[in-house]
Amino acid sequence: MHEYAFFLGCIAPNRYPGCEASAIKTSAKLDIDLLPLKGASCCPAPGAFGAIDLRVWYAMAARNICLAEDMGKDIALICNGCYKSIYEVNEKLKHNDDLRDGANEVLAEIDMEFKGSIDVWHLIELYYDPKICGVEKVRNSVTHPLTGTRIAPHYGCHLLKPAKERHFGDSENPMWFEELIEALGAEPIQYRNKMQCCGAGGGVRGYDLTQALDITNEKLINIEEVGADALTEFCPFCQLQYDRGQLEIAEKFGKTYNLPVLHYNELLGLAQGMSPDELALDLHGVDCKPFLEKIL
Amino acid sequence: MAEDNKEPRIGVFVCHCGTNIAGSIDVTAVKDYAQTLPGVTIADEYQYMCSTPGQSKIKAAIADYDLTGVVVAACSPRLHEPTFRVATQEGGLNPFRFEMANIREQNAWVHMHDRKAATDKAKDQVRIAVAKARLLEDLIPKSVPVEKAALVVGAGIGGIQASLDLGSAGIPVTLVERWPTVGGRMSQLDKTFPTLDCSQCILTPKMVDVGRHPMIDLKTYTEVESVEGYIGNFDVTLRRRARGVLTPEEAEARGIVGGGCNGCGDCEEVCPVIKSNEFEMGMAPRKAIYIFHAQVMPLLYTIDFDSCVKCGLCIEACGPDKRAIDLDMVDTFETVKVGTIILATGYDLIPIEGKREWGYKQFDNVITGLEFERLICASGPTVGHLIRPSDGATPMKVAFVLCAGSRDNSGGVAKPYCSRFCCMYSLKHAHQIMEKIPGAVPYLFYMDIRAFGKGYEEFYYRVQDEGAKFIRGRVSNIQEDVQTKNLHVFAEDTLLGRPVDLECDMVVLAAAIQPKADADSLRQMFGISKSQDGWYLEAHPKLNPCGTTTAGIFLAGVCQGPKDVPDTVAQAEGAASAASIPIHMGQVDLEPYFAVCIEEKCAGCGMCTNLCPFGALDLVDREDGTGNGKVMRVTEAKCKGCGTCGGFCPGGAIKMQHFTSEQIVGQIDAFLLEGEQ
């Protein structure tokens, strides 16, 4: 059993409880134990906070890391935005004395100190890593394969970029997420501009919704071009943008896609036999039923 | 000449090298320090020791102070050791009574901002050099005869030109080519910039010449297996790969008069095995018995034994008169003895599919420049009709991505250097599609257009006037429209400052080039160096671009670094000239740094003979008339002075000339004891 401090983030527990539930339940079947990280705050959001005051971003993220350091566990998380904040701040503070001293000055006020004793992982990379889990183990955990479905992968930006500060290799046209989708019995499809942003990140959604939706719309056009039964990602914020965004696009641009959007953990949950209710799929903006009918 | 038992009298000369050395080192302080060292009779300094007045100082001091040794503290011995050796000799000393302290490359240039530390280090370096100079001895170089023959590896345009020059100068040449035909990359090209001559048309006369030149022994489908020896006396073992087909000469040797391959092609027609043709970049088929194209030299079929099923249909087709096919042929080996060697091994494209954002090998209509050459070439797989691989349609909008993987520091397959001919061939490609396809428009995405050669800039203007579109910006991303298979090319137009999304029918990547996959193992076989980027290293980037740091081995063409056809031919002619010099001289002097056996100490144990990596040592009977025991003998021409035997000999009976134990210990003492004895 590999144990991690589970950093929840904000969007999963508040908007998509199925993301949270499926993360805990699917990983348990893969010998990964996600322990509650008590007292955690917002990561904080890299675009919204980082763009305004980096010191706040460093200090708040460092505080979350300190909680896991106290547990003596690496952090696992399920959101690309959280990954950028927690992973990147952890790496920066580990390797830059000035930044670490600055953050610790703030943390000292609440009797905490960043030590740099743990690592930060996205749950999806733990699933893919054969040392921890690996594609085969994921495949073997599947009891209800998603046979006959065509699923569009969305990697999101913050996990892979900037590529030089990450460890995922090719960020221009990676294929490893496709392997994980294929392990569920589904067919991962390729579409134009796969690596484009969902439109939400970097504060764009908050700053200019129309611009953000325009990007999302382009992605949806490209996916519609090749045809897909669902889109999957591993970031609740991307999920929000694609899912709720489709309702907003319908309203603003008058275009409907009805493309169900599921976090990979939700897909894996279905493939492992979790019920749609257990995954709170009824809370999604776009109706997941057409997809569920295909697989159930 | 100084006598060996004389008290050492050393002259030390410290060079300013303008401000190269004096800018970081207190030269006068070094000179004053040298004057205090034991054995130093005279110390001096000068602006440029390598200049005529500088050298005169050395000569005068040898006479005036009756010196036994000379030390110059200046640049790298690679640069000026020969200069100062000559000066030492002209002053009346044996040239090996000279020692150099490199206070420029190994000191001034690396400690540019720490004058005190640099000066202290220079004093150390001079003290160490003086310690060695005190113990230097007279040495006499051995000269060895040079075999009047040369080897050229690679029969592209570089190797062909070098061979023709050497052969025409009366030197027998062995020209080795891995492919079944000569011609190399140039034979794959359609036209050559900026004159637009047909590449094959200007190349084939040379291919034919090289095939029938009386002084050139052309060996195609042959690779270098191993190399032994040294300048003047290389023994190169060649592997003649089993070709399965006999030449008329080989047939005659087997008693088949009037037989052998005449290139009729009957065998090819019946061969049932189909493989992809590497000459056509995999865009056309060939059989298991094949020639690459109609103009191959020699016109001789080759069997690809990796795919041949040995059905024997070709033997039947060939008939009882020619009997050219031997399916049981095996690789054969032969050794050639040559005096000098020219390497002209060429290049490959980088695996541009590694730049995933451009979609090569993901999208049908993204091709490389070399594939474009074959598609536009009248003798290519489409008979010169440029078509889209996806549907065979004629492309009307073609995007060219320049610097595709060149001048790119992003790592992976990308290269930081300029590949030097892609700008020009892309301009040529642009011209060609406008010429061949009325109404077609080329779009060139570029960083800079490097039109540096004679007539190149003029060609650039011509292509602009013809209507080619130039967009200054690097391509960030290429996407395929899944329905139409058209491509969207994304870039920033940095002149207009706005993003570009160009939909086009086809994209041509001007992929960067890199050394051949096995360039490194070949390099090690020949004992030459490479530069950081993997290309073979020339002896000097400006003043000796054809030579290598291994005497007798020369470079021609792209194996030394990216260059176009004119530059390759120029370098090939330079290499041929340089390689002919030792041959015409008839002999070369070897540095006298070989091992010497001190017979009275040698116990004849023979341990050293097994250790020698060059087979230079033997055990022989003593010649003292007693008939008692053995003694080691050195074959001086084979000895490279590596010191393995000298370091090992349990009796201390092997002396490494110019690097004696006493000299090396003296240097170590001088360094560690800081001048104390």
Side-chain angles (χ1 to χ4, degrees), chain B residues 159-177:
Chain B
I160 288 174
Q161 186 64 48
S163 301
L164 288 173
D165 281 15
L166 286 168
S168 301
I171 296 168
V173 181
T174 304
L175 173 57
V176 173
E177 168 57 46

Side-chain angles (χ1 to χ4, degrees), chain A residues 170 172-173 192-193 225, chain B residues 356-357 362 477 479-480:
Chain A
D170 178 21
E172 297 296 342
N173 190 6
R192 190 135 64 90
N193 216 359
E225 201 172 67
Chain B
R356 305 273 297 166
E357 60 269 40
Q362 300 167 52
N477 191 7
Q479 292 167 25
E480 184 184 58

Side-chain angles (χ1 to χ4, degrees), chain B residues 299-491:
Chain B
L299 177 55
L300 184 63
Y301 272 78
T302 302
I303 297 176
D304 167 8
F305 279 114
D306 287 338
S307 42
C308 171
V309 294
K310 303 211 176 186
C311 64
L313 287 173
C314 52
I315 298 178
E316 242 168 76
C318 189
D321 295 336
K322 295 200 292 286
R323 278 188 282 162
I325 293 169
D326 175 3
L327 293 179
D328 299 320
M329 201 180 268
V330 291
D331 291 3
T332 55
F333 297 89
E334 64 177 307
T335 301
V336 294
K337 196 168 182 63
V338 296
T340 53
I341 294 169
I342 295 175
L343 300 181
T345 52
Y347 67 94
D348 281 328
L349 300 187
I350 62 166
I352 192 70
E353 60 272 26
K355 297 287 285 184
R356 305 273 297 166
E357 60 269 40
W358 294 330
Y360 180 66
K361 289 195 179 167
Q362 300 167 52
F363 307 143
D364 291 344
N365 295 325
V366 177
I367 65 171
T368 66
L370 210 44
E371 287 166 347
F372 183 96
E373 292 287 347
R374 295 316 301 155
L375 287 177
I376 200 86
C377 180
S379 66
T382 57
V383 209
H385 296 293
L386 183 66
I387 55 165
R388 293 188 350 147
S390 69
D391 54 10
T394 303
M396 298 306 290
K397 278 172 86 173
V398 181
F400 293 89
V401 179
L402 277 62
C403 296
S406 302
R407 304 173 69 201
D408 180 339
N409 286 313
S410 65
V413 300
K415 302 293 178 187
Y417 50 77
C418 167
S419 293
R420 279 186 99 239
F421 48 57
C422 334
C423 281
M424 290 310 299
Y425 79 57
S426 296
L427 289 173
K428 179 195 70 179
H429 290 169
H431 165 83
Q432 284 179 294
I433 63 167
M434 289 187 288
E435 184 184 49
K436 283 206 170 187
I437 308 169
V441 185
Y443 293 80
L444 289 87
F445 291 84
Y446 70 101
M447 280 201 261
D448 309 281
I449 295 291
R450 295 189 162 176
F452 55 85
K454 189 176 182 182
Y456 290 10
E457 189 71 14
E458 295 88 329
F459 186 71
Y460 176 26
Y461 282 119
R462 173 178 168 185
V463 173
Q464 284 180 9
D465 290 343
E466 286 170 344
K469 308 287 184 206
F470 290 81
I471 299 162
R472 182 172 174 275
R474 299 181 76 173
V475 172
S476 61
N477 191 7
I478 294 172
Q479 292 167 25
E480 184 184 58
D481 184 314
V482 284
Q483 258 90 46
T484 61
K485 299 282 177 186
N486 284 352
L487 300 157
H488 287 264
V489 180
F490 293 90

Side-chain angles (χ1 to χ4, degrees), chain B residues 8-77:
Chain B
R9 297 172 62 79
I10 310 298
V12 178
F13 303 87
V14 188
C15 182
H16 290 239
C17 196
T19 56
N20 274 312
I21 293 171
S24 329
I25 291 173
D26 183 345
V27 170
T28 306
V30 176
K31 179 205 78 176
D32 291 344
Y33 172 76
Q35 188 73 65
T36 68
L37 292 169
V40 173
T41 311
I42 165 75
D44 202 352
E45 61 183 292
Y46 192 65
Q47 279 287 315
Y48 295 101
M49 281 307 298
C50 58
S51 66
T52 306
Q55 294 184 54
S56 301
K57 272 181 179 292
I58 297 174
K59 288 183 244 177
I62 292 170
D64 294 349
Y65 296 94
D66 189 23
L67 299 181
T68 63
V70 172
V71 169
V72 174
C75 53
S76 164

Side-chain angles (χ1 to χ4, degrees), chain A residues 110-146:
Chain A
I110 50 169
D111 295 326
M112 292 181 102
E113 187 195 359
F114 174 89
K115 300 181 198 67
S117 58
I118 61 153
D119 290 320
V120 178
W121 310 96
H122 195 301
L123 189 58
I124 199 78
E125 65 174 314
L126 299 175
Y127 283 173
Y128 188 71
D129 185 350
K131 293 193 292 293
I132 307 293
C133 172
V135 177
E136 281 316 300
K137 196 161 181 174
V138 172
R139 194 190 309 277
N140 294 335
S141 76
V142 171
T143 54
H144 296 66
L146 311 180

Side-chain angles (χ1 to χ4, degrees), chain B residues 469-657:
Chain B
K469 308 287 184 206
F470 290 81
I471 299 162
R472 182 172 174 275
R474 299 181 76 173
V475 172
S476 61
N477 191 7
I478 294 172
Q479 292 167 25
E480 184 184 58
D481 184 314
V482 284
Q483 258 90 46
T484 61
K485 299 282 177 186
N486 284 352
L487 300 157
H488 287 264
V489 180
F490 293 90
E492 181 191 350
D493 186 326
T494 57
L495 295 180
L496 296 179
R498 63 185 182 207
V500 179
D501 168 3
L502 177 78
E503 185 174 357
C504 56
D505 303 322
M506 186 182 224
V507 173
V508 183
L509 302 175
I513 59 171
Q514 66 182 15
K516 295 292 247 189
D518 59 352
D520 216 39
S521 57
L522 194 77
R523 172 183 76 77
Q524 285 165 357
M525 215 185 277
F526 284 96
I528 61 167
S529 308
K530 64 175 175 180
S531 43
Q532 208 171 12
D533 46 25
W535 302 108
Y536 292 161
L537 185 67
E538 62 288 336
H540 190 283
K542 294 157 193 100
L543 304 180
N544 195 350
C546 301
T548 67
T549 47
T550 300
I553 298 181
F554 303 88
L555 304 174
V558 181
C559 66
Q560 179 259 332
K563 50 182 73 67
D564 55 13
V565 172
D567 285 2
T568 292
V569 171
Q571 194 186 20
E573 301 212 270
S577 163
S580 71
I581 292 170
I583 290 172
H584 286 315
M585 293 297 290
Q587 58 177 36
V588 286
D589 283 347
L590 298 180
E591 301 241 62
Y593 302 156
F594 37 79
V596 173
C597 176
I598 306 163
E599 293 202 4
E600 51 270 31
K601 287 190 185 172
C602 177
C605 69
M607 307 285 264
C608 53
T609 56
N610 297 325
L611 286 173
C612 177
F614 308 104
L617 311 181
D618 296 296
L619 269 192
V620 296
D621 290 331
R622 278 188 184 271
E623 287 173 359
D624 57 3
T626 62
N628 290 334
K630 304 246 178 196
V631 69
M632 184 272 274
R633 191 188 58 195
V634 182
T635 305
E636 289 157 354
K638 282 190 184 172
C639 175
K640 296 209 189 288
C642 71
T644 306
C645 60
F648 180 81
C649 179
I654 300 175
K655 175 178 170 186
M656 303 308 304
Q657 299 212 99

